[in-house]
Amino acid sequence: MLDVADALAVVLRHAGRLAPADGPLSPAALGRVLAADVTADRDSPPFAKSLRDGYAVRAADVAKGPGDLRIIEDVPAGAVPTKAVGPGQCTRLFTGAPIPDGADAVVMQEQARQVGIARVRLDDAGVKPGQWVFPRGQEMAAGDVVLPAGTPLTPAALGLLAAVGRTSASLYPSPRVGILATGDELVEADAAPGPGQIRNSNGPMLAALAARAGGTPRYLGIGRDDKARLKALVRDGLDTSDVLLLAGGVSVGDFDLVPDVLAELGVTTHVRTVRMKPGKPLLFGTRGNTLVFGLPGNPGSAFVGFELFARPALRLLAGHALPGPTVVSLPLAGPLAASNDRPTYHPAKLEGASVRPLPWGGAPDLRGLVPADALLALPAGDVRYNAGDPVPVVLV
Ligand code: AMP
Ligand code: MG
């Protein structure tokens, strides 16, 4: 039996980046990771531009005190000035418009009063050169690496890629995640369970967890507790997945066929049990580059096992530098006493800058997990915390 940290190290050792490919930069690329540096194709802004609606001036003309200036031209955004601003002159312009030659500052229109045809009085004695001017190349210069390889695509990154003229980029792909629930007691959500049967909640939950972690889930169905039939499904999963998730059948009961089936299909098992609660039986194996997770069948255990081990692996495959899980120390919102024989992960909810344990009935209780966005990482043994005490928390 391995400790969580050791089991995670084993998993991550086997999780290499997938081969990058060129992909379109649609919103579907959100969360993907760039596989190559992206450079700016031009300066931004490409010209010194106005940050306000107002008047381009020579600052020295206005700093002397309110004086009348002659308006020599109007320049809306998208137009280009054709005249240089000389002493006693100004150009009417709008946010985003290029600053004309000769001008070195902008006075806001709120500080201007029309005093005749094409004449304006500007009251801004504090004006200094550079006021309300966004200089050329301030954001980036042509040739700058603006998005280095390894950058995850956030909304801002997708905007920036458009700003430098990109519609596609070299990206690490979304890992293909095969999902297989196992158990003779299972029926799908659209079926009425017969005596002794329950609905398959792990299939949809794991597909959603895989999608949230950046994978592309493919649901393979329910594997029955029958070796030949289970084997056919697992073979399909191994052949078509970067990561294969199995739920149920990994324990040591008579009907827990997953470990044998995996061995017969050429999967090498690296982890069999982990010192944790819930989810002690947790199998991790590999066949070639395909990673296989045999998660326990109880939904709470499958959830915790996925977040602690499968999600970090998916992140590495997808090109992220930091696999997680993200662990932070947060003060408890209320007191907590617990007694566990193994390190325990308890569903919790972030409340501002603190964390509140959720009422939870243990591994089979999926309902209690619904509001969880964190797991308290409690040590083995008797623990007693007061409100405000810091506890380690895994963000999920
Ligand atoms: P197992 O790991 O196969 O021994 O299953 C442990 C418990 O989880 C049993 O009570 C199963 O009925 C339940 N279980 C297994 N698979 C699922 C599933 N896909 N959805 C909901 N419960 C399940
Ligand atoms: Mg089972």
Side-chain angles (χ1 to χ4, degrees):
M1 185 148 62
L2 293 177
D3 286 336
V4 169
D6 296 330
L8 180 61
V10 172
V11 169
L12 297 183
R13 217 170 29 241
H14 289 89
R17 287 175 174 166
L18 299 173
D22 264 6
L25 294 171
S26 69
L30 198 60
R32 301 261 59 79
V33 176
L34 282 175
D37 291 350
V38 172
T39 52
D41 65 332
R42 63 204 295 245
D43 294 350
S44 176
F47 42 78
K49 70 177 183 182
S50 177
L51 291 169
R52 290 289 184 276
D53 295 335
Y55 297 84
V57 301
R58 301 161 74 99
D61 280 354
V62 180
K64 291 186 294 210
D68 296 354
L69 298 180
R70 194 165 67 78
I71 304 169
I72 57 171
E73 111 177 286
D74 271 27
V75 183
V80 206
T82 59
K83 297 176 184 161
V85 173
Q89 297 181 337
C90 67
T91 291
R92 171 79 169 130
L93 43 58
F94 298 87
T95 303
I99 305 291
D101 287 346
D104 59 10
V106 171
V107 174
M108 291 197 289
Q109 63 187 23
E110 290 82 346
Q111 286 160 283
R113 192 156 54 87
Q114 200 82 23
V115 289
I117 294 167
R119 291 196 77 77
V120 72
R121 183 163 303 161
L122 300 178
D123 185 8
D124 189 3
V127 63
K128 299 221 162 46
Q131 173 175 283
W132 304 129
V133 176
F134 197 49
R136 174 177 179 155
Q138 170 93 342
E139 186 192 14
M140 55 188 147
D144 282 355
V145 173
V146 289
L147 294 159
T151 302
L153 296 184
T154 58
L158 286 165
L160 188 60
L161 283 158
V164 300
R166 301 295 296 265
T167 58
S168 69
S170 177
L171 304 174
Y172 293 104
S174 168
R176 299 166 301 161
V177 184
I179 291 145
L180 188 44
T182 75
D184 277 348
E185 73 277 34
L186 302 177
V187 299
E188 298 292 18
D190 58 358
Q197 295 186 318
I198 59 167
R199 292 206 180 91
N200 168 22
S201 50
N202 284 334
M205 179 182 73
L206 288 169
L209 285 169
R212 183 170 77 170
T216 301
R218 173 167 172 249
Y219 178 59
L220 297 160
I222 297 172
R224 295 304 169 189
D225 295 332
D226 164 282
K227 222 169 179 178
R229 289 163 72 194
L230 181 60
K231 204 165 168 179
L233 279 178
V234 174
R235 182 182 285 120
D236 177 23
L238 288 170
D239 289 344
T240 57
S241 309
D242 300 307
V243 173
L244 178 59
L245 302 176
L246 296 127
V250 290
S251 202
V252 290
D254 291 348
F255 297 100
D256 293 327
L257 305 172
V258 166
D260 279 0
V261 165
L262 290 175
E264 287 171 25
L265 290 171
V267 173
T268 306
T269 295
H270 307 288
V271 177
R272 193 67 186 76
T273 48
V274 181
R275 192 172 294 110
M276 62 187 267
K277 209 163 134 182
K280 177 171 79 167
L282 190 141
L283 185 151
F284 169 69
T286 52
R287 192 190 72 169
N289 289 329
T290 300
L291 312 184
V292 182
F293 293 89
L295 304 168
N298 271 312
S301 310
F303 181 96
V304 171
F306 178 92
E307 288 294 325
L308 293 187
F309 302 105
R311 180 168 183 262
L314 285 173
R315 285 176 57 82
L316 287 193
L317 265 59
H320 288 278
L322 299 176
T326 305
V327 184
V328 296
S329 176
L330 292 176
L332 274 172
L336 174 70
S339 179
N340 296 294
D341 56 348
R342 296 190 295 278
T344 295
Y345 295 85
H346 187 101
K349 176 121 196 75
L350 303 178
E351 271 186 15
S354 61
V355 64
R356 182 179 296 281
L358 291 166
W360 189 49
D365 180 10
L366 185 52
R367 182 181 176 186
L369 261 183
V370 169
D373 49 15
L375 298 168
L376 302 183
L378 303 173
D382 298 331
V383 290
R384 192 168 284 279
Y385 298 104
N386 297 313
D389 284 351
V391 284
V393 170
V394 180
L395 303 181
V396 298

